[in-house]
């Protein structure tokens, strides 16, 4: 079975507080986009993962997802999984969580366990806070630690230029630095309303990611990318998630020239658009 595991953008991100267990209470607007990893999953006696031609070991999210699936279902089985990465790591694009969600979906189909989305999300949240979003897919407002999801109508129809500097931002470090910095407010209801109404200008005026200052402190190149995008005519540019990837929105007539210029400066520069699923069987 072959699948695409789609990336995500945080169109807005707010941190409400912190739970006693150290997890953060979040309020996020998340949107799947067309950039995707590709997985091939086949039934096998043991469990093995080849990632870009190399055998993966340890705490990889795909292996964790497979182990939890077999533990939850009680099935004595395995899988041979091949993963072709297109989504960069330490970017804020959710590649590891997307791969985990696609793995759970594939194993559910292959072993005909017919698990509900609710059960798949319960398994997924044990892997990462973003995994339940990828099981639902599309555009969602995610609260709690990311597991409380409600659909959002995104009528803005954005096309994005994704630009990641060479440096990355470890998620844990981003949250640590966040606590050292002044706190910002985010009008999540207003941003949600702007997306639902297709009010592009209002979205641009309200959108915020409270982790962006932390991402810039850890990886100052994030600020350089944003400045470069604006200099090339971007209407909007913001870091996604904990970074370090920036998504920029350009007038249609400026996209190609901007991509050509930015691709010469940064190792990762790709165009993407909204999509309605966290994964797709192909």
């Amino acid at each position: 079975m072959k699948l695409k595991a789609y990336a995500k953008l945080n169109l807005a991100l707010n941190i409400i507080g912190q739970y006693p267990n150290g997890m953060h209470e979040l309020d996020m607007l998340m949107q799947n986009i067309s950039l995707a990893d590709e997985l091939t999953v086949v039934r096998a006696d043991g469990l093995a993962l080849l990632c870009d031609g190399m055998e993966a070991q340890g705490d990889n999210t795909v292996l964790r997802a497979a182990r939890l699936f077999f533990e939850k279902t009680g099935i004595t089985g395995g899988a041979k999984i091949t993963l072709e990465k297109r989504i960069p790591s330490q970017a804020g694009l959710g590649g590891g969580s997307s791969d985990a969600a696609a793995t759970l979906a594939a194993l559910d189909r292959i072993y005909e366990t017919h698990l509900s989305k609710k059960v798949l999300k319960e398994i997924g949240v044990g892997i990462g806070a973003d995994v339940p979003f990828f099981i639902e897919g599309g555009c969602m407002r995610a609260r709690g630690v990311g597991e409380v999801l409600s659909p959002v109508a995104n009528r803005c129809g954005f096309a994005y230029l994704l630009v990641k500097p060479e440096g990355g931002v470890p998620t844990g470090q981003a949250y640590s630095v966040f606590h050292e910095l002044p706190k910002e407010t985010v009008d999540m209801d207003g941003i949600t309303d702007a997306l639902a109404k297709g009010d592009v200008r209002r979205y641009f005026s309200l959108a915020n990611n409270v982790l962006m200052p932390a991402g810039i402190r850890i990886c100052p190149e994030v600020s350089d990318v944003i400045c470069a995008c604006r200099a090339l005519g971007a209407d909007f540019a913001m870091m996604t998630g904990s970074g370090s990837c920036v998504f920029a929105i350009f007038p249609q007539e400026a996209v190609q020239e901007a991509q050509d210029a930015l691709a010469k400066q940064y190792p990762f520069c790709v165009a993407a658009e909204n999509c309605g699923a966290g994964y797709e069987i192909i």
Side-chain angles (χ1 to χ4, degrees), residues 46-117:
L47 183 59
L49 170 64
L50 289 177
C51 181
D52 292 334
M54 298 180 64
E55 186 171 357
Q57 304 288 343
D59 201 33
N60 183 284
T61 56
V62 169
L63 293 175
R64 287 169 60 198
R67 293 185 188 112
L68 282 172
F69 171 84
F70 290 120
E71 179 183 314
K72 178 72 176 181
T73 60
I75 292 171
T76 303
K80 181 180 178 182
I81 305 170
T82 303
L83 173 60
E84 295 182 19
K85 291 294 295 179
R86 300 289 182 270
I87 305 170
S89 61
Q90 294 189 4
L93 294 168
S97 294
S98 181
D99 296 339
T103 299
L104 292 174
L107 293 173
D108 180 55
R109 292 287 190 97
I110 289 168
Y111 282 95
E112 299 181 335
T113 45
H114 306 293
L115 300 178
S116 66
K117 280 189 175 181

Side-chain angles (χ1 to χ4, degrees), residues 3-5 39 41 97-107 134-135 278-279:
L3 304 93
K4 286 187 175 183
L39 293 92
V41 185
S97 294
S98 181
D99 296 339
T103 299
L104 292 174
L107 293 173
F134 287 102
I135 290 167
Y279 62 87

Side-chain angles (χ1 to χ4, degrees), residues 197-220:
K197 292 178 178 176
D199 191 339
V200 172
R201 293 297 162 187
R202 189 175 178 217
Y203 169 78
F204 291 163
S205 69
L206 294 177
N208 194 12
N209 174 358
V210 299
L211 282 175
M212 188 161 69
I216 290 172
R217 176 176 284 191
I218 295 163
C219 180

Side-chain angles (χ1 to χ4, degrees), residues 41-263:
V41 185
V42 296
R43 188 191 295 242
D45 292 332
L47 183 59
L49 170 64
L50 289 177
C51 181
D52 292 334
M54 298 180 64
E55 186 171 357
Q57 304 288 343
D59 201 33
N60 183 284
T61 56
V62 169
L63 293 175
R64 287 169 60 198
R67 293 185 188 112
L68 282 172
F69 171 84
F70 290 120
E71 179 183 314
K72 178 72 176 181
T73 60
I75 292 171
T76 303
K80 181 180 178 182
I81 305 170
T82 303
L83 173 60
E84 295 182 19
K85 291 294 295 179
R86 300 289 182 270
I87 305 170
S89 61
Q90 294 189 4
L93 294 168
S97 294
S98 181
D99 296 339
T103 299
L104 292 174
L107 293 173
D108 180 55
R109 292 287 190 97
I110 289 168
Y111 282 95
E112 299 181 335
T113 45
H114 306 293
L115 300 178
S116 66
K117 280 189 175 181
K118 180 176 183 293
V119 172
L120 289 171
K121 287 188 289 187
E122 287 171 354
I123 298 172
V125 79
I127 304 161
D130 288 347
V131 178
F133 163 74
F134 287 102
I135 290 167
E136 286 287 354
C139 186
M140 294 276 168
R141 188 165 177 177
R143 286 174 267 205
V145 297
E147 86 287 8
V148 181
L149 298 165
S150 52
V152 172
N154 182 358
R155 296 188 173 91
C156 283
F158 294 133
Y160 311 98
L161 202 56
L162 311 178
V163 187
K164 181 187 178 298
E166 189 169 350
V169 179
T171 300
Q173 188 179 358
Y175 279 96
S176 295
V177 173
F178 164 80
H179 289 290
E180 301 171 3
L181 299 173
K183 301 302 174 279
E184 303 179 33
T185 59
V186 184
D187 182 2
M188 295 297 292
D189 291 335
I191 299 167
T192 302
D193 185 64
L195 291 176
K197 292 178 178 176
D199 191 339
V200 172
R201 293 297 162 187
R202 189 175 178 217
Y203 169 78
F204 291 163
S205 69
L206 294 177
N208 194 12
N209 174 358
V210 299
L211 282 175
M212 188 161 69
I216 290 172
R217 176 176 284 191
I218 295 163
C219 180
E221 289 176 282
V222 171
S223 181
D224 296 338
V225 171
I226 292 171
C227 290
C229 290
R230 294 191 187 280
L232 289 165
D235 290 320
F236 179 82
M238 187 172 77
M239 188 184 81
T240 180
S242 58
S244 61
C245 188
V246 169
F247 66 96
I249 301 168
F250 288 84
Q252 186 60 43
E253 65 274 11
V255 173
Q256 190 59 58
E257 183 178 350
Q259 184 171 5
D260 291 344
L262 291 164

